[in-house]
Amino acid sequence: LVLLALVVAGAVFLLYQFFSPDTNVPAPEAKPTAEIPEGAVVITLSKDGFSPDQLSVKAGDTVTFRSIGGELFWPASNLHPSHLVYPEFDPQKPIQPNDVWSFTFTKAGEWKYHDHLAPYFTGVITVTE
């Protein structure tokens, strides 16, 4: 079992290395073509993950997600792949690289999220009353 686990872990590592973007080539920063709502807090997804990856907002605040990596992205609540922890926190489809997606948090709590297309990119949004 230990040997099998090592083989699987090695295969996952090699697949990640093979399919991950080349970190030596800087990706051009894409400018969002969609408007970012006034007063929105912005979370940016790049080749390094979400930034900021931990955020605190108040109930009623809007958080806008954008990508600067030139790739489709799909921010959504945990758990992957069902997004059932906070099902409204899910655009239900990939977002184009030059577009943005905004969500207004109405429920207080600690909401973990991920990029549905690259679930190793994660973050936490804490919503207070």
Side-chain angles (χ1 to χ4, degrees):
L1 282 174
V2 172
L3 182 60
L4 179 60
L6 288 173
V7 168
V8 169
V12 169
F13 175 77
L14 289 174
L15 285 172
Y16 176 76
Q17 294 299 316
F18 181 74
F19 289 108
S20 65
D22 184 358
T23 57
N24 294 326
V25 179
E29 181 168 337
K31 302 284 186 206
T33 56
E35 292 287 323
I36 294 175
E38 186 174 329
V41 177
V42 177
I43 295 177
T44 301
L45 178 62
S46 71
K47 65 178 179 57
D48 298 320
F50 289 107
S51 179
D53 61 355
Q54 295 188 23
L55 179 67
S56 292
V57 297
K58 292 186 179 201
D61 285 350
T62 299
V63 176
T64 298
F65 292 84
R66 71 180 186 128
S67 172
I68 60 169
E71 302 286 330
L72 292 172
F73 69 111
W74 184 337
S77 74
N78 282 359
L79 298 167
H80 179 71
S82 65
H83 313 152
L84 294 178
V85 173
Y86 193 164
E88 299 86 2
F89 176 20
D90 181 354
Q92 303 291 316
K93 64 180 181 178
I95 308 303
Q96 296 297 317
N98 292 331
D99 206 353
V100 298
W101 180 71
S102 297
F103 183 75
T104 301
F105 286 86
T106 58
K107 299 178 185 178
E110 183 177 273
W111 307 111
K112 296 180 180 179
Y113 65 94
H114 61 280
D115 178 3
H116 182 69
L117 303 176
Y120 44 86
F121 292 139
T122 63
V124 178
I125 298 174
T126 302
V127 180
T128 59
E129 291 292 332

